[in-house]
Amino acid sequence: MRVTLRGMPAAQEPRHATTTPRDLLMAVAIFAVAFALRLVFLFRSADAAWPHSALYEGDAPVWARWAKALGKGEPFEFNLPMRPPGMAWLLHWLGADAAPFTGMKVLWCAISAATVALLWLVMARWFTRGAAWVAAALLAVSFGSFELATSLNNEAPYALLVTAIVGATLAWCDRPTWRWAVVLGLLNGAALLLRAEHALPVALLLAYGAWRSRGAVGWWCAAWQAALALAVTAACCVPWTLRSNEAAHRFNTVTEQQIPYRTMQPRWTPEAQAYLETLPAFVR
């Protein structure tokens, strides 16, 4: 036992070396309780079949319409990058493009409950069990999390991804390996496809992880691992970025129909026609 300068026993190290089977059983129990609470909340409301809820609409109707357009192979909002595509594609892959949306909301309740359980595991592994219980209990009964669990918006899956990203970042700090760098890149890429503003947490977490890892593998290796994670993150977004760039270019250069200058009254002067042709296609 370590002894402080005043002769008093030092505080015990709060971190645990590994996640034990008992921890996993506790996480399963936490998931079950949180899931049951969210199911009660869902089925006690009159809007269970809606894509959104009376308490929180968000962009849920938009995601549902986008998923329906994907199922039909039709463009949505001219394929312009108005919103990240992850949520619409997720609903499309899960077949949630038409009412009733009750089954999909049950899945969202499970995602929210899994976030509570994963938060407990992360806090117990890298902080203290007391802090883990407090954090998990607060999130399990948080009214805001109930609202997010019963509306098909991107906050619920994003919260699960962020919790996983924090845990993966701490695991990378403990064991800075190339495998963890790739895992971090994939998780951050998925989060960026759900919420574009995740770009700032990516930069901060990778910088923090590289700084924490420098003692184990050296600055150069830590920096290269962070660069690999960033490259994987960017690679996840490349297909959507290229498609969005193509759509924006088409929107600015291709007109749906030519302007009938000859039949317009009053007649347009050549100078006016030339000026109009210099404007982006979507304005003409």
Side-chain angles (χ1 to χ4, degrees):
M1 176 183 295
R2 289 190 301 112
V3 179
T4 63
L5 293 177
R6 295 184 178 181
M8 299 298 292
Q12 294 295 321
E13 175 63 41
R15 292 174 52 188
H16 302 277
T18 59
T19 299
T20 65
R22 182 182 178 185
D23 292 334
L24 296 176
L25 288 176
M26 293 305 302
V28 171
I30 291 170
F31 169 83
V33 172
F35 188 39
L37 291 173
R38 282 151 178 74
L39 288 181
V40 171
F41 185 81
L42 172 64
F43 288 109
R44 291 288 293 178
S45 61
D47 50 24
W50 303 0
H52 55 289
S53 71
L55 294 170
Y56 177 50
E57 178 177 332
D59 287 331
V62 178
W63 302 130
R65 292 196 300 271
W66 193 349
K68 188 174 183 179
L70 289 172
K72 293 181 177 180
E74 299 174 351
F76 184 77
E77 295 181 339
F78 303 100
N79 285 336
L80 292 173
M82 304 293 189
R83 300 169 180 82
M87 184 64 191
W89 277 103
L90 182 59
L91 292 179
H92 168 61
W93 289 332
L94 295 172
D97 54 7
F101 292 93
T102 309
M104 199 53 50
K105 285 189 172 183
V106 171
L107 176 59
W108 250 237
C109 289
I111 290 174
S112 179
T115 304
V116 179
L118 183 58
L119 177 64
W120 189 90
L121 286 173
V122 171
M123 295 290 291
R125 169 64 177 82
W126 281 283
F127 298 93
T128 66
R129 295 183 186 276
W133 281 115
V134 171
L138 289 175
L139 184 58
V141 299
S142 167
F143 186 71
S145 69
F146 281 45
E147 292 180 334
L148 298 179
T150 53
S151 182
L152 298 181
N153 280 287
N154 53 15
E155 285 88 353
Y158 178 71
L160 179 61
L161 279 173
V162 167
T163 308
I165 288 168
V166 171
T169 301
L170 294 173
W172 178 44
C173 293
D174 286 350
R175 291 186 175 183
T177 64
W178 299 100
R179 181 180 300 178
W180 275 119
V182 172
V183 170
L184 269 176
L186 293 174
L187 290 173
N188 281 307
L192 268 175
L193 291 174
L194 285 174
R195 297 188 71 91
E197 60 268 31
H198 184 72
L200 180 57
V202 169
L204 293 175
L205 287 171
L206 289 182
Y208 170 77
W211 180 78
R212 281 282 307 276
S213 304
R214 73 194 190 286
V217 295
W219 268 113
W220 278 109
C221 186
W224 276 111
Q225 288 185 13
L228 174 62
L230 187 61
V232 174
T233 299
C236 293
C237 303
V238 164
W240 172 247
T241 302
L242 294 177
R243 181 184 178 185
S244 299
N245 180 71
E246 179 184 352
H249 177 74
R250 182 177 64 252
F251 201 61
N252 282 308
T253 58
V254 179
T255 55
E256 294 295 329
Q257 58 183 5
Q258 296 298 320
I259 301 176
Y261 293 113
R262 293 184 178 181
T263 60
M264 294 181 67
Q265 294 295 333
R267 299 293 299 273
W268 285 56
T269 64
E271 292 80 7
Q273 295 181 32
Y275 172 74
L276 192 61
E277 291 298 327
T278 63
L279 298 176
F282 71 89
V283 179
R284 301 198 295 268

